[in-house]
Amino acid sequence: AKDAVNSGKLVSDDIVTKIVADAIEEPQCKGGFVLDGFPRTENQANILDKMLANKGQSIDKVVSIEVPKETLIERLSGRWIHKKSGRSYHTVFNPPKAAKVDDVTGEA
């Protein structure tokens, strides 16, 4: 998955669902878990349903949050990642001290 992401490619549904499958097997998920932003496609949802059914589980609650389009655009378009460190900033909600400069390293 890391190679695909680093090269700018989309990660396949099979890889994404395998990552989720591994994660929900962790001890901290035994009492339940929240999936945020997953599944993103109908195929991912179908794979998830089958995966859970094989374990005798199913999705029992879904939360849908409706957000105005303008708010989504503002939140998404303001994101900035300092590539070397991976630190994330937001031009409105969490700006770096200097525009397009990492707060910790001082690198652009």
Side-chain angles (χ1 to χ4, degrees):
K2 188 175 182 180
D3 290 340
V5 171
N6 288 342
S7 66
K9 296 179 183 173
L10 293 175
V11 179
S12 72
D13 288 348
D14 290 335
I15 292 173
V16 172
T17 52
K18 172 74 169 108
I19 292 168
V20 171
D22 291 346
I24 63 177
E25 288 297 320
E26 295 292 323
Q28 65 265 30
C29 292
K30 293 299 179 201
F33 50 88
V34 174
L35 299 172
D36 180 11
F38 178 86
R40 290 183 184 263
T41 67
E42 185 175 350
N43 186 49
Q44 288 177 357
N46 290 331
I47 294 170
L48 176 64
D49 283 344
K50 288 177 188 172
M51 178 181 65
L52 292 174
N54 288 338
K55 299 166 50 118
Q57 298 175 328
S58 64
I59 300 294
D60 59 357
K61 293 181 179 57
V62 175
V63 176
S64 176
I65 300 172
E66 295 190 24
V67 180
K69 186 176 180 179
E70 299 77 27
T71 302
L72 292 174
I73 291 169
E74 178 184 40
R75 299 289 297 199
L76 292 170
S77 64
R79 291 181 181 175
W80 178 70
I81 306 290
H82 179 254
K83 289 184 181 183
K84 285 186 179 180
S85 70
R87 274 182 282 282
S88 62
Y89 297 93
H90 191 281
T91 57
V92 175
F93 304 107
N94 182 35
K97 293 172 187 165
K100 297 188 179 184
V101 176
D102 182 54
D103 288 347
V104 176
T105 64
E107 298 171 325

CSV table of all heavy atoms in Angstrom, one decimal, residues 33-63:
chain,number,residue,atom,x,y,z
A,33,PHE,N,-15.5,-1.3,17.3
A,33,PHE,CA,-14.6,-0.3,16.6
A,33,PHE,C,-15.4,0.6,15.7
A,33,PHE,O,-16.6,0.4,15.4
A,33,PHE,CB,-13.6,-1.1,15.7
A,33,PHE,CG,-14.2,-2.1,14.8
A,33,PHE,CD1,-14.7,-1.8,13.5
A,33,PHE,CD2,-14.4,-3.4,15.2
A,33,PHE,CE1,-15.3,-2.7,12.7
A,33,PHE,CE2,-15.0,-4.4,14.4
A,33,PHE,CZ,-15.5,-4.0,13.1
A,34,VAL,N,-14.8,1.7,15.4
A,34,VAL,CA,-15.4,2.8,14.5
A,34,VAL,C,-14.6,2.8,13.3
A,34,VAL,O,-13.4,2.9,13.3
A,34,VAL,CB,-15.4,4.1,15.2
A,34,VAL,CG1,-15.9,5.2,14.3
A,34,VAL,CG2,-16.3,4.1,16.5
A,35,LEU,N,-15.3,2.8,12.1
A,35,LEU,CA,-14.6,2.9,10.8
A,35,LEU,C,-14.9,4.3,10.3
A,35,LEU,O,-16.0,4.7,10.1
A,35,LEU,CB,-15.1,1.9,9.8
A,35,LEU,CG,-14.9,0.4,10.2
A,35,LEU,CD1,-15.6,-0.5,9.3
A,35,LEU,CD2,-13.4,0.1,10.3
A,36,ASP,N,-13.9,5.1,10.2
A,36,ASP,CA,-14.0,6.5,9.8
A,36,ASP,C,-13.5,6.7,8.3
A,36,ASP,O,-12.3,6.5,8.1
A,36,ASP,CB,-13.3,7.5,10.7
A,36,ASP,CG,-13.4,8.9,10.3
A,36,ASP,OD1,-14.2,9.3,9.5
A,36,ASP,OD2,-12.6,9.7,10.9
A,37,GLY,N,-14.4,6.9,7.4
A,37,GLY,CA,-13.9,7.0,6.0
A,37,GLY,C,-13.8,5.7,5.3
A,37,GLY,O,-13.2,5.7,4.2
A,38,PHE,N,-14.3,4.7,5.9
A,38,PHE,CA,-14.2,3.3,5.2
A,38,PHE,C,-15.5,2.6,5.6
A,38,PHE,O,-16.0,2.7,6.7
A,38,PHE,CB,-13.1,2.5,5.8
A,38,PHE,CG,-13.0,1.1,5.2
A,38,PHE,CD1,-12.4,0.9,4.0
A,38,PHE,CD2,-13.7,0.1,5.8
A,38,PHE,CE1,-12.4,-0.4,3.4
A,38,PHE,CE2,-13.7,-1.2,5.3
A,38,PHE,CZ,-13.0,-1.4,4.1
A,39,PRO,N,-16.2,2.0,4.6
A,39,PRO,CA,-15.8,1.8,3.2
A,39,PRO,C,-16.1,3.1,2.4
A,39,PRO,O,-17.0,3.9,2.7
A,39,PRO,CB,-16.6,0.7,2.8
A,39,PRO,CG,-17.8,0.7,3.7
A,39,PRO,CD,-17.4,1.2,5.0
A,40,ARG,N,-15.3,3.3,1.3
A,40,ARG,CA,-15.5,4.4,0.4
A,40,ARG,C,-16.2,4.0,-0.8
A,40,ARG,O,-16.7,4.9,-1.6
A,40,ARG,CB,-14.2,5.1,0.1
A,40,ARG,CG,-13.5,5.8,1.3
A,40,ARG,CD,-12.3,6.5,0.9
A,40,ARG,NE,-11.6,7.1,2.0
A,40,ARG,CZ,-11.7,8.3,2.4
A,40,ARG,NH1,-12.4,9.2,1.6
A,40,ARG,NH2,-11.1,8.8,3.4
A,41,THR,N,-16.2,2.7,-1.2
A,41,THR,CA,-16.9,2.3,-2.4
A,41,THR,C,-17.8,1.2,-2.1
A,41,THR,O,-17.7,0.5,-1.0
A,41,THR,CB,-15.8,1.8,-3.4
A,41,THR,OG1,-15.2,0.6,-2.9
A,41,THR,CG2,-14.7,2.8,-3.7
A,42,GLU,N,-18.7,0.9,-3.0
A,42,GLU,CA,-19.7,-0.2,-2.8
A,42,GLU,C,-18.9,-1.5,-2.7
A,42,GLU,O,-19.3,-2.4,-1.9
A,42,GLU,CB,-20.7,-0.2,-4.0
A,42,GLU,CG,-21.8,-1.3,-3.8
A,42,GLU,CD,-22.8,-1.2,-4.9
A,42,GLU,OE1,-22.8,-0.2,-5.7
A,42,GLU,OE2,-23.6,-2.2,-4.9
A,43,ASN,N,-17.9,-1.7,-3.6
A,43,ASN,CA,-17.1,-2.9,-3.5
A,43,ASN,C,-16.4,-3.1,-2.1
A,43,ASN,O,-16.5,-4.2,-1.6
A,43,ASN,CB,-16.0,-2.9,-4.6
A,43,ASN,CG,-15.3,-4.2,-4.7
A,43,ASN,OD1,-15.9,-5.3,-4.8
A,43,ASN,ND2,-14.0,-4.1,-4.7
A,44,GLN,N,-15.9,-2.0,-1.6
A,44,GLN,CA,-15.3,-2.1,-0.2
A,44,GLN,C,-16.4,-2.5,0.8
A,44,GLN,O,-16.1,-3.3,1.7
A,44,GLN,CB,-14.7,-0.8,0.2
A,44,GLN,CG,-13.4,-0.5,-0.5
A,44,GLN,CD,-12.8,0.8,-0.2
A,44,GLN,OE1,-13.4,1.6,0.6
A,44,GLN,NE2,-11.6,1.1,-0.7
A,45,ALA,N,-17.6,-2.0,0.7
A,45,ALA,CA,-18.7,-2.3,1.6
A,45,ALA,C,-19.0,-3.8,1.5
A,45,ALA,O,-19.3,-4.4,2.5
A,45,ALA,CB,-19.9,-1.4,1.3
A,46,ASN,N,-19.1,-4.3,0.2
A,46,ASN,CA,-19.4,-5.7,0.0
A,46,ASN,C,-18.3,-6.6,0.6
A,46,ASN,O,-18.6,-7.6,1.3
A,46,ASN,CB,-19.6,-6.0,-1.4
A,46,ASN,CG,-20.9,-5.4,-2.0
A,46,ASN,OD1,-21.8,-5.2,-1.3
A,46,ASN,ND2,-20.9,-5.0,-3.3
A,47,ILE,N,-17.1,-6.2,0.4
A,47,ILE,CA,-16.0,-7.0,1.0
A,47,ILE,C,-16.0,-7.0,2.5
A,47,ILE,O,-15.9,-8.0,3.2
A,47,ILE,CB,-14.6,-6.5,0.5
A,47,ILE,CG1,-14.5,-6.7,-1.0
A,47,ILE,CG2,-13.5,-7.2,1.2
A,47,ILE,CD1,-13.3,-6.0,-1.7
A,48,LEU,N,-16.3,-5.8,3.1
A,48,LEU,CA,-16.4,-5.7,4.5
A,48,LEU,C,-17.5,-6.6,5.1
A,48,LEU,O,-17.4,-7.3,6.0
A,48,LEU,CB,-16.6,-4.2,4.9
A,48,LEU,CG,-16.9,-3.9,6.4
A,48,LEU,CD1,-15.6,-4.3,7.2
A,48,LEU,CD2,-17.2,-2.5,6.6
A,49,ASP,N,-18.7,-6.5,4.4
A,49,ASP,CA,-19.9,-7.3,4.9
A,49,ASP,C,-19.5,-8.8,4.9
A,49,ASP,O,-19.8,-9.5,5.8
A,49,ASP,CB,-21.1,-7.1,4.0
A,49,ASP,CG,-21.8,-5.8,4.3
A,49,ASP,OD1,-21.5,-5.2,5.3
A,49,ASP,OD2,-22.6,-5.3,3.4
A,50,LYS,N,-18.9,-9.3,3.8
A,50,LYS,CA,-18.5,-10.7,3.7
A,50,LYS,C,-17.5,-11.1,4.8
A,50,LYS,O,-17.6,-12.1,5.4
A,50,LYS,CB,-18.0,-11.0,2.3
A,50,LYS,CG,-19.0,-11.0,1.3
A,50,LYS,CD,-18.4,-11.3,-0.1
A,50,LYS,CE,-19.5,-11.1,-1.2
A,50,LYS,NZ,-18.9,-11.1,-2.5
A,51,MET,N,-16.5,-10.2,5.0
A,51,MET,CA,-15.4,-10.4,6.0
A,51,MET,C,-16.0,-10.5,7.4
A,51,MET,O,-15.7,-11.4,8.1
A,51,MET,CB,-14.4,-9.3,5.9
A,51,MET,CG,-13.3,-9.4,6.9
A,51,MET,SD,-12.2,-7.9,6.8
A,51,MET,CE,-13.2,-6.6,7.2
A,52,LEU,N,-16.9,-9.6,7.7
A,52,LEU,CA,-17.6,-9.6,9.0
A,52,LEU,C,-18.5,-10.8,9.2
A,52,LEU,O,-18.5,-11.5,10.2
A,52,LEU,CB,-18.3,-8.3,9.3
A,52,LEU,CG,-17.4,-7.1,9.4
A,52,LEU,CD1,-18.3,-5.8,9.5
A,52,LEU,CD2,-16.5,-7.2,10.6
A,53,ALA,N,-19.2,-11.2,8.1
A,53,ALA,CA,-20.1,-12.3,8.2
A,53,ALA,C,-19.4,-13.6,8.4
A,53,ALA,O,-19.8,-14.5,9.2
A,53,ALA,CB,-20.9,-12.4,6.9
A,54,ASN,N,-18.2,-13.7,7.9
A,54,ASN,CA,-17.4,-14.9,8.1
A,54,ASN,C,-16.9,-15.0,9.6
A,54,ASN,O,-16.6,-16.1,10.0
A,54,ASN,CB,-16.1,-14.9,7.2
A,54,ASN,CG,-16.4,-15.1,5.8
A,54,ASN,OD1,-17.5,-15.7,5.4
A,54,ASN,ND2,-15.5,-14.7,4.9
A,55,LYS,N,-17.0,-13.9,10.3
A,55,LYS,CA,-16.6,-13.9,11.7
A,55,LYS,C,-17.9,-13.9,12.6
A,55,LYS,O,-17.8,-13.7,13.8
A,55,LYS,CB,-15.7,-12.7,12.0
A,55,LYS,CG,-14.4,-12.7,11.3
A,55,LYS,CD,-13.8,-11.4,11.3
A,55,LYS,CE,-13.6,-10.8,12.6
A,55,LYS,NZ,-12.3,-10.6,13.2
A,56,GLY,N,-19.1,-14.0,12.0
A,56,GLY,CA,-20.3,-13.9,12.7
A,56,GLY,C,-20.6,-12.5,13.2
A,56,GLY,O,-21.3,-12.3,14.2
A,57,GLN,N,-20.1,-11.5,12.5
A,57,GLN,CA,-20.3,-10.1,12.9
A,57,GLN,C,-21.0,-9.4,11.8
A,57,GLN,O,-21.1,-9.9,10.7
A,57,GLN,CB,-19.0,-9.4,13.2
A,57,GLN,CG,-18.2,-10.0,14.4
A,57,GLN,CD,-16.8,-9.4,14.6
A,57,GLN,OE1,-16.2,-9.0,13.6
A,57,GLN,NE2,-16.4,-9.3,15.8
A,58,SER,N,-21.5,-8.2,12.1
A,58,SER,CA,-22.1,-7.3,11.1
A,58,SER,C,-22.0,-5.9,11.6
A,58,SER,O,-21.8,-5.6,12.8
A,58,SER,CB,-23.5,-7.7,10.8
A,58,SER,OG,-24.3,-7.5,11.9
A,59,ILE,N,-22.2,-5.0,10.7
A,59,ILE,CA,-22.3,-3.5,11.1
A,59,ILE,C,-23.6,-3.3,11.8
A,59,ILE,O,-24.6,-3.7,11.3
A,59,ILE,CB,-22.2,-2.6,9.8
A,59,ILE,CG1,-20.9,-2.8,9.1
A,59,ILE,CG2,-22.4,-1.2,10.2
A,59,ILE,CD1,-19.6,-2.4,9.8
A,60,ASP,N,-23.6,-2.7,13.0
A,60,ASP,CA,-24.8,-2.5,13.7
A,60,ASP,C,-25.3,-1.1,13.8
A,60,ASP,O,-26.4,-0.8,14.2
A,60,ASP,CB,-24.8,-3.2,15.1
A,60,ASP,CG,-23.7,-2.7,16.0
A,60,ASP,OD1,-22.9,-1.8,15.5
A,60,ASP,OD2,-23.6,-3.1,17.1
A,61,LYS,N,-24.3,-0.2,13.5
A,61,LYS,CA,-24.7,1.3,13.5
A,61,LYS,C,-23.9,2.0,12.5
A,61,LYS,O,-22.8,1.7,12.2
A,61,LYS,CB,-24.4,1.9,14.9
A,61,LYS,CG,-25.3,1.3,16.0
A,61,LYS,CD,-25.0,2.0,17.3
A,61,LYS,CE,-25.8,1.5,18.4
A,61,LYS,NZ,-25.8,0.0,18.7
A,62,VAL,N,-24.6,3.0,11.9
A,62,VAL,CA,-24.0,3.9,10.9
A,62,VAL,C,-24.3,5.3,11.2
A,62,VAL,O,-25.4,5.6,11.6
A,62,VAL,CB,-24.5,3.6,9.5
A,62,VAL,CG1,-23.9,4.6,8.5
A,62,VAL,CG2,-24.1,2.1,9.1
A,63,VAL,N,-23.3,6.2,11.2
A,63,VAL,CA,-23.5,7.6,11.4
A,63,VAL,C,-23.2,8.3,10.1
A,63,VAL,O,-22.1,8.1,9.5
A,63,VAL,CB,-22.6,8.1,12.5
A,63,VAL,CG1,-22.7,9.6,12.7
A,63,VAL,CG2,-22.8,7.4,13.8
